[in-house]
Amino acid sequence: MHMHSHTSTGVSRHSYDRDQKKAQAMSIQKICNRFASAVVLGLLSAVGLWAAEDPQRVAAETDRLLREEVPFASAAKKAPPCIDDERFLRRVSLDIIGRLPTPEEVTIFALDPSPDKRTRIVNKLLADLRYGENCGRYWRDVIMYRRTEERLQFIGSMATIEPYLIESFNKNKPWSQIATEFITATGNGSENGNCALIIAQQGRPEEIAAEISRIFLGVQIQCAQCHDHPTDSWKREQFHELAAFFPRVATRPPQIQPMARELMVAALDVEVPASRRRPINNTMRFFGTLEHHMSDPKEPQSEGKLMQPVFFATGDALPTGTKDAQRRGKLAEWITKKDNPFFAKAFVNRLWAELTGEGFYEPVDDIGPDRHATAPKTLDFLAREFTDHDYDVKWLLRTITATELYQLPSGPRRGPEDPPMQQNVAQRLRADQIFDNLLLVLEASEPPQPGFLPAAVNLPNVGLRGGRPRSQFMTAFGYDPSSHRDEVQSSIPQALTLMNSPLVAGTLRGSGNTMLARKLAEIHDDSALTQELFLRVLGREASQSELTTCLQFAKQINNRTEAFEDILWSLVNSAEFLHRS
Amino acid sequence: MSFHIQSDVSIRRSGLRRRDFLKFIPGAAAATGLLSWQDLLAANAPALRKAGKACILLWMGGGPSQFETFDPKPGHSNGGDTKTIKTSLPGVEFADSLPLLAKSVDDLCLIRSMSAKEGQHPRATFLMHTGYLPSPAVKYPTFGSIVAKEIGDPASEIPSFVRIGAGQGANASAMGSAGILGVDYDPLALTAAGRPPENTALSTDEKRFQRRLGLLDRLQGDYANHGGQQEVGDHQKIYAQAARLVLSPKMTGFDLDKEPQKVKDLYGSSAFGQACLLARRLVETGVTFVEISHGPWDTHQDNFNRTRTLNGQIDQPIAALLADLKSRGLLDSTLIIWTGEFGRTPRINPNKGRDHFPRAFTSVLAGGGIKGGQVIGATDEGGEAVKDRPVSVNDLLRTACHSLSIDADKQNMSSIGRPIKIVDGGEVVKEAFA
């Protein structure tokens, strides 16, 4: 990916195909001579030039539609000036690779005179492997924060979700393919990361249906599980018709043994006698059933009504008796097909909310037909383009980051009466982002995992104390990314972690083998050192008043090491460090 | 971004609606308008704490055997080798490894007819803590968070909900968190009693800490003036609270060395004993809900020896806790709940163990207006089923709410605007109260 990022990351339309084409190009190179390969690469970059303009075109049309639907409310009725290069680079780096730019990157970007440098930096960041990491961890949290599987011995079976997602996003798999892989997953969760969604819901058809609908369609149809939805048009039957795609699924250890630590997604198309279905000590679904039944609230003990698999959004249906592979395969096909409006809209709405701070619908996973969107035409347009671009995630990132709203200054979350989408809204960084930024700005390496769990287990809310610092950060700073951002609150344990934790306190020191000790030795001028620390921790230079404050402080303390330890502490403990703004 | 979410958040942040608050304070003081909101909160904190009510949950993670604790079946083959000891209540016997609790029976209300359906640790643990089964759609709040929100002191420097030792035994995550109630009501978690809460020990001396806070404050102005006022405002509030916590004199509530040796001896030196002593100190300090984990009680193998050992770890501390609270006049206002997520099978398996059994098990209540010296409900001869007066998990939670003057029918909003009752269904076990 890295080798030709500058020339061809503009090839967005089929970048996943492109990787395969690249692989083909390599094999051609082996057989043919240099001339032939140069022709192939030349063709690829020609496609790249054409495609590079495409996100700009869609972004411009998005801007136009958005302002038709929600005009600027200011007296001038027009957009405020876009943010400067420093702020843009910080924002886009945090959004795409989850990290702050380094002081060197800030300087190089500021000095770059080319007019299309913002487009080019987006392409460069999308080619960085940390893009997949940042995006993958976001989706890991979307799925894992709602898990109902909490048995500690099986947590490891879900940890594979992170590497699976990282690889998928770095390869730029179309979103439809990722969705399909989650819906149709089978096999051992410790090997197949796409099993994690089903394992997270213990293989229970109703929970799986609820989550697939919420995550991939933004439809909270599970509210109709027990009764007709109070505010939406969904009927109870429609929820159970969706659950009817999953009755044959179950999760169980690959080998039945007392100390089993792995789970697999197993599907059986034969009846398992009731006597074998429920092992002692466990109400876990070891085996599925051939069909799904909707329970009768009046007679909860009865089997209930036999449900046929029907997909509520498109009306597509399968007969009862259909095999599992076909049920889930067809459902994935219908969920991701172009005339299902929810699939593209759910994804676009989420990404838009992440990048601009305000979704068309909020919370982001509640976009059902009875909800009202801010700027529905804009969302429809962008969702249609996303569909036409074969659910190309990098394309969508290029497009939204090229919009005007993305590049507007950030302000506070609006009140209920304020006009929507007037500015970009600051968001709290996620736990991984804060942790990685701390490591980055303090030049610290991630402490090793002490025993017990494999290093790959990065899951929110695992509830392990004494785990490695990253897990501790997740416990303190983690939040469910689907939750309404008003509800993502700061907490006392977060403040205590940054104020006092041994990890932070130790790496902040101005003596020993630390970043600050090195900078204190290298930079003798206090103004220059202050600027270095601001660039490093906040991704911007200090203002005149901030500089004055720091210099006066240093003078007052009269101990250079201590003074700059305190300044660094204050920067790392600031609200600005914790937010993408 | 609908209106109810906005107003809901403002309630969370202040912890209490002004309107609710005005009901509690004398009219004159409120009318003068001389006191600030914070002053009023501080002045009336005890009233707001519903006459100082508190709850200590003794969580027996893993599922304790009712046969080897409070519902032995001597003489029946399901009873195994467990010997019993008489209590002062006629016909009521405990396992003989609980001699001090047998003597404290006058303070205990045994519910021998607990009955549920969940036999998997995390699901049953979650159910017992929240009254709901885990769901991907709603993060149901754990009982401690509910109590902290409903009757905790919103002006307290230290959190109203402290959880001790959840790392051991059942997964802490299944014990739940504040969920939809918001992080203000999350538990402050301690790995064990006798150590200060995580990251509350200052990394510098206090003077330098204050100096840093001052510099931080001065450096936040620019960002606040450039669109960051909301984040900076929230951040300052949390940092002020965190600083108040670490510098609070109430932090000595966590310090067991402040206890006289005589009292320490009463509780014993085990981890659970220390945690019980800490619970009492915290309740005195103003903490509303303390949850102590003990276990693991998951005795699939060697049930009889292991339960005997576990009983040995809880007998003295719980008896001491009851006596100590009583002598300080705190027992009437402090509800104690002893329970696990389920009980254990009547059948003894080939490994001399007992397996998971939610159908019939025992939970114990004490203090908080509960009438001691009684047994509610009964299992049949072999302990295989509830014979008399089944009590569900929600009945138990509703009973706890009643003891703590919490309206169990009150609804909280989920993130998608779905109203969630504190306890959905169930009935108060009326005979539990004096």
Side-chain angles (χ1 to χ4, degrees):
Chain A
M1 272 261 170
H2 276 297
M3 54 174 285
H4 68 168
S5 60
H6 276 279
T7 52
S8 67
T9 41
V11 185
S12 53
R13 191 166 173 136
H14 297 291
S15 334
Y16 181 56
D17 292 348
R18 188 204 67 210
D19 283 331
Q20 289 168 345
K21 280 183 195 151
K22 192 176 92 185
Q24 285 167 11
M26 294 304 173
S27 59
I28 291 168
Q29 194 173 20
K30 279 184 190 164
I31 304 160
C32 303
N33 58 28
R34 275 183 188 187
F35 178 71
S37 74
V39 170
V40 172
L41 291 173
L43 279 173
L44 284 173
S45 45
V47 174
L49 281 176
W50 168 76
E53 288 163 20
D54 191 51
Q56 309 293 327
R57 171 185 66 79
V58 177
E61 180 60 9
T62 305
D63 291 340
R64 195 187 65 77
L65 281 169
L66 181 65
R67 288 311 150 204
E68 228 173 71
E69 296 190 276
V70 282
F72 283 109
S74 64
K77 300 284 176 209
K78 60 173 197 189
C82 287
I83 44 173
D84 61 23
D85 284 341
E86 263 183 4
R87 278 169 222 276
F88 178 80
L89 183 64
R90 183 179 190 270
R91 184 182 289 175
V92 83
S93 297
L94 288 170
D95 284 342
I96 297 181
I97 61 169
R99 265 83 162 182
L100 290 160
T102 63
E104 294 73 31
E105 286 164 343
V106 178
T107 310
I108 292 170
F109 189 69
L111 294 175
D112 183 349
S114 54
D116 64 339
K117 65 179 175 181
R118 293 196 179 188
T119 312
R120 283 195 293 109
I121 196 75
V122 168
N123 288 338
K124 186 175 170 220
L125 291 167
L126 285 172
D128 190 317
L129 293 178
R130 292 176 297 178
Y131 154 70
E133 192 177 75
N134 184 47
C135 203
R137 286 172 172 171
Y138 171 88
W139 284 97
R140 174 203 70 199
D141 286 355
V142 169
I143 294 168
M144 283 299 140
Y145 264 95
R146 305 289 177 104
R147 70 175 189 271
T148 56
E149 176 60 86
E150 293 286 8
R151 289 169 301 172
L152 207 48
Q153 71 268 35
F154 296 129
I155 292 282
S157 277
M158 292 181 279
T160 46
I161 190 174
E162 184 179 308
Y164 162 76
L165 283 167
I166 292 175
E167 195 193 334
S168 299
F169 284 110
N170 275 332
K171 279 185 173 166
N172 203 25
K173 281 185 195 171
W175 180 238
S176 52
Q177 186 185 341
I178 296 174
T180 301
E181 288 174 1
F182 275 118
I183 297 166
T184 59
T186 54
N188 190 332
S190 305
E191 290 152 18
N192 306 342
N194 58 328
C195 289
L197 191 156
I198 290 174
I199 292 176
Q201 301 308 332
Q202 307 198 322
R204 294 167 190 266
E206 291 167 359
E207 274 88 338
I208 298 169
E211 277 296 89
I212 282 177
S213 178
R214 180 185 75 86
I215 294 168
F216 298 117
L217 304 170
V219 173
Q220 304 264 353
I221 197 174
Q222 82 287 343
C223 299
Q225 181 168 356
C226 314
H227 45 75
D228 291 347
H229 198 295
T231 53
D232 276 350
S233 43
W234 309 120
K235 296 281 171 273
R236 197 171 163 244
E237 297 225 339
Q238 289 178 294
F239 171 75
H240 289 278
E241 285 167 350
L242 183 65
F245 285 92
F246 303 98
R248 301 179 179 216
V249 177
T251 55
R252 62 166 178 268
Q255 277 101 36
I256 307 288
Q257 56 192 40
M259 299 305 282
R261 301 189 73 86
E262 290 182 329
L263 283 179
M264 67 181 296
V265 174
L268 267 188
D269 288 309
V270 292
E271 187 77 68
V272 176
S275 58
R276 278 191 61 209
R277 242 187 246 154
R278 183 174 290 188
I280 304 168
N281 286 335
N282 231 317
T283 51
M284 166 166 65
R285 268 173 73 90
F286 258 57
F287 300 102
T289 54
L290 285 182
E291 301 298 340
H292 179 68
H293 293 82
M294 175 171 80
S295 68
D296 181 347
K298 290 190 196 102
E299 284 178 67
Q301 301 304 325
S302 70
E303 192 184 28
K305 183 178 165 191
L306 175 66
M307 300 309 293
Q308 187 193 350
V310 183
F311 178 40
F312 64 89
T314 61
D316 288 305
L318 286 172
T320 53
T322 307
K323 285 193 172 9
D324 171 74
Q326 212 193 346
R327 281 184 204 229
R328 291 195 283 146
K330 279 288 168 194
L331 179 65
E333 193 184 310
W334 296 333
I335 282 180
T336 59
K337 76 178 180 182
K338 297 196 170 190
D339 44 1
N340 167 21
F342 294 111
F343 183 68
K345 273 208 260 187
F347 190 88
V348 169
N349 183 53
R350 236 180 218 283
L351 199 59
W352 181 271
E354 284 305 319
L355 295 174
T356 71
E358 181 175 356
F360 295 99
Y361 292 93
E362 292 190 338
V364 289
D365 54 5
D366 194 9
I367 73 167
D370 301 286
R371 299 289 185 268
H372 298 286
T374 302
K377 285 184 201 144
T378 312
L379 174 60
D380 279 351
F381 166 73
L382 205 46
R384 223 168 30 245
E385 289 285 341
F386 180 52
T387 310
D388 290 345
H389 286 80
D390 295 326
Y391 308 114
D392 180 336
V393 178
K394 287 190 181 181
W395 173 87
L396 187 60
L397 270 155
R398 285 191 184 96
T399 303
I400 299 178
T401 54
T403 61
E404 181 185 64
L405 184 60
Y406 184 77
Q407 306 200 20
L408 289 184
S410 74
R413 195 157 291 282
R414 70 182 172 98
E417 307 303 324
D418 301 332
M421 298 185 180
Q422 302 289 308
Q423 57 195 350
N424 205 295
V425 179
Q427 312 236 51
R428 240 283 311 287
L429 294 172
R430 299 193 304 280
D432 283 301
Q433 296 173 321
I434 296 166
F435 188 72
D436 286 329
N437 279 327
L438 269 178
L439 297 181
L440 183 74
V441 304
L442 299 174
E443 293 177 3
S445 52
E446 183 156 0
Q449 169 75 12
F452 189 33
L453 282 178
V457 178
N458 280 340
L459 291 174
N461 275 342
V462 171
L464 292 175
R465 310 216 157 262
R468 61 178 175 159
R470 187 182 290 273
S471 337
Q472 290 173 359
F473 261 74
M474 279 184 171
T475 307
F477 286 94
Y479 62 86
D480 179 348
S482 305
S483 54
H484 203 291
R485 291 303 155 90
D486 267 0
E487 295 168 10
V488 177
Q489 293 167 291
S490 313
S491 72
I492 292 177
Q494 291 167 7
L496 294 176
T497 303
L498 290 173
M499 276 178 177
N500 296 327
S501 75
L503 173 82
V504 179
T507 43
L508 273 175
R509 265 200 292 268
S511 55
N513 183 21
T514 64
M515 179 280 291
L516 184 59
R518 286 189 287 277
K519 296 295 166 196
L520 280 163
E522 269 168 37
I523 307 174
H524 296 285
D525 175 57
D526 283 358
S527 299
L529 183 53
T530 304
Q531 290 299 8
E532 165 72 20
L533 295 183
F534 267 75
L535 271 177
R536 193 167 262 278
V537 183
L538 303 180
R540 64 171 177 89
E541 290 198 317
S543 69
Q544 195 52 52
S545 73
E546 287 167 336
L547 186 61
T548 311
T549 303
C550 291
L551 295 179
Q552 276 174 357
F553 181 82
K555 205 169 157 192
Q556 220 174 20
I557 302 305
N558 202 21
N559 175 331
R560 194 166 186 248
T561 304
E562 271 200 16
F564 278 95
E565 282 176 346
D566 292 354
I567 290 170
L568 183 56
W569 182 94
S570 299
L571 295 178
V572 162
N573 277 277
S574 68
E576 191 173 350
F577 178 68
L578 295 175
H579 287 83
R580 154 262 180 251
S581 60
Chain B
M1 178 98 37
S2 63
F3 182 70
H4 76 254
I5 288 174
Q6 286 288 319
S7 59
D8 202 33
V9 169
S10 70
I11 294 166
R12 279 177 206 169
R13 297 244 160 119
S14 65
L16 184 80
R17 243 185 306 234
R18 193 171 281 259
R19 190 169 69 238
D20 294 343
F21 175 74
L22 291 173
K23 287 191 292 203
F24 286 98
I25 58 163
T32 58
L34 289 174
L35 296 172
S36 74
W37 170 238
Q38 280 301 326
D39 291 339
L40 288 171
L41 281 178
N44 292 278
L48 290 165
R49 275 195 61 209
K50 300 250 170 110
K53 283 192 177 178
C55 180
I56 299 173
L57 171 59
L58 305 173
W59 179 253
M60 303 293 116
S65 170
Q66 65 280 24
F67 296 97
E68 276 66 58
T69 52
F70 296 105
D71 194 10
K73 299 288 179 187
H76 192 282
S77 61
N78 287 346
D81 307 333
T82 298
K83 303 272 183 300
T84 59
I85 184 170
K86 285 194 165 53
T87 69
S88 64
L89 298 180
V92 177
E93 298 185 351
F94 291 176
D96 72 343
S97 45
L98 295 172
L100 297 173
L101 284 175
K103 281 187 194 148
S104 312
V105 75
D106 287 344
D107 292 322
L108 303 178
C109 170
L110 274 54
I111 302 176
R112 280 179 167 172
S113 52
M114 288 299 300
S115 189
K117 285 186 187 142
E118 281 303 316
Q120 189 193 99
H121 292 293
R123 289 174 71 82
T125 300
F126 190 84
L127 177 67
M128 189 62 92
H129 277 82
T130 65
Y132 292 88
L133 283 173
S135 150
V138 181
K139 286 285 170 212
Y140 296 105
T142 193
F143 194 60
S145 299
I146 292 170
V147 173
K149 176 167 186 267
E150 293 301 319
I151 63 168
D153 172 6
S156 173
E157 292 156 22
I158 59 177
S160 294
F161 176 12
V162 176
R163 189 178 260 171
I164 307 167
Q168 72 181 120
N171 188 332
S173 174
M175 295 163 76
S177 63
I180 58 170
L181 302 184
V183 293
D184 286 357
Y185 306 105
D186 268 334
L188 177 71
L190 304 184
T191 32
R195 263 179 259 176
E198 213 170 22
N199 299 326
T200 52
L202 291 180
S203 57
T204 61
D205 60 61
E206 190 181 323
K207 196 173 143 232
R208 196 165 169 205
F209 177 65
Q210 299 279 21
R211 185 171 94 193
R212 285 178 166 187
L213 288 173
L215 180 64
L216 170 63
D217 225 29
R218 272 174 284 154
L219 288 180
Q220 300 234 66
D222 264 40
Y223 178 61
N225 292 334
H226 287 92
Q229 63 268 42
Q230 205 171 53
E231 301 98 85
V232 171
D234 284 357
H235 184 267
Q236 283 173 329
K237 202 187 114 194
I238 288 295
Y239 266 65
Q241 282 179 21
R244 247 173 14 117
L245 169 72
V246 296
L247 301 174
S248 169
K250 286 186 176 176
M251 286 301 283
T252 57
F254 291 97
D255 187 356
L256 294 180
D257 290 339
K258 299 275 187 287
E259 283 293 320
Q261 192 58 41
K262 208 174 70 187
V263 180
K264 283 191 202 169
D265 291 344
L266 189 66
Y267 286 84
S269 58
S270 70
F272 184 72
Q274 300 236 318
C276 286
L277 174 56
L278 180 60
R280 194 225 77 217
R281 279 184 70 81
L282 292 175
V283 166
E284 273 182 328
T285 312
V287 173
T288 315
F289 195 97
V290 183
E291 175 166 6
I292 305 173
S293 283
H294 179 257
W297 289 82
D298 198 18
T299 51
H300 293 287
Q301 291 95 26
D302 195 18
N303 169 65
F304 298 93
N305 290 322
R306 283 174 61 195
T307 322
R308 188 170 253 294
T309 307
L310 290 161
N311 279 346
Q313 292 162 4
I314 63 167
D315 188 45
Q316 182 190 349
I318 300 177
L321 180 64
L322 291 167
D324 199 11
L325 285 172
K326 202 188 238 179
S327 73
R328 287 161 200 262
L330 289 170
L331 188 59
D332 280 346
S333 57
T334 308
L335 174 68
I336 296 173
I337 307 172
W338 179 97
T339 191
E341 63 268 43
F342 39 57
R344 307 207 74 83
T345 45
R347 197 180 69 94
I348 298 160
N349 72 24
N351 300 321
K352 295 208 164 170
R354 295 188 192 268
D355 303 317
H356 305 178
F357 195 65
R359 205 188 312 159
F361 63 102
T362 301
S363 300
V364 183
L365 301 175
I370 295 288
K371 183 177 153 199
Q374 65 164 335
V375 175
I376 291 172
T379 50
D380 62 15
E381 253 174 49
E384 280 160 5
V386 169
K387 188 176 71 180
D388 176 36
R389 214 226 180 282
V391 175
S392 70
V393 169
N394 283 6
D395 294 339
L396 184 72
L397 290 173
R398 203 165 262 273
T399 305
C401 283
H402 185 77
S403 157
L404 298 167
S405 311
I406 292 171
D407 174 7
D409 287 317
K410 189 178 155 185
Q411 296 181 335
N412 290 297
M413 282 293 166
S414 83
S415 56
I416 56 167
R418 187 168 138 197
I420 307 294
K421 280 189 176 178
I422 287 179
V423 184
D424 192 11
E427 278 175 27
V428 174
V429 181
K430 292 222 176 69
E431 59 270 41
F433 294 91

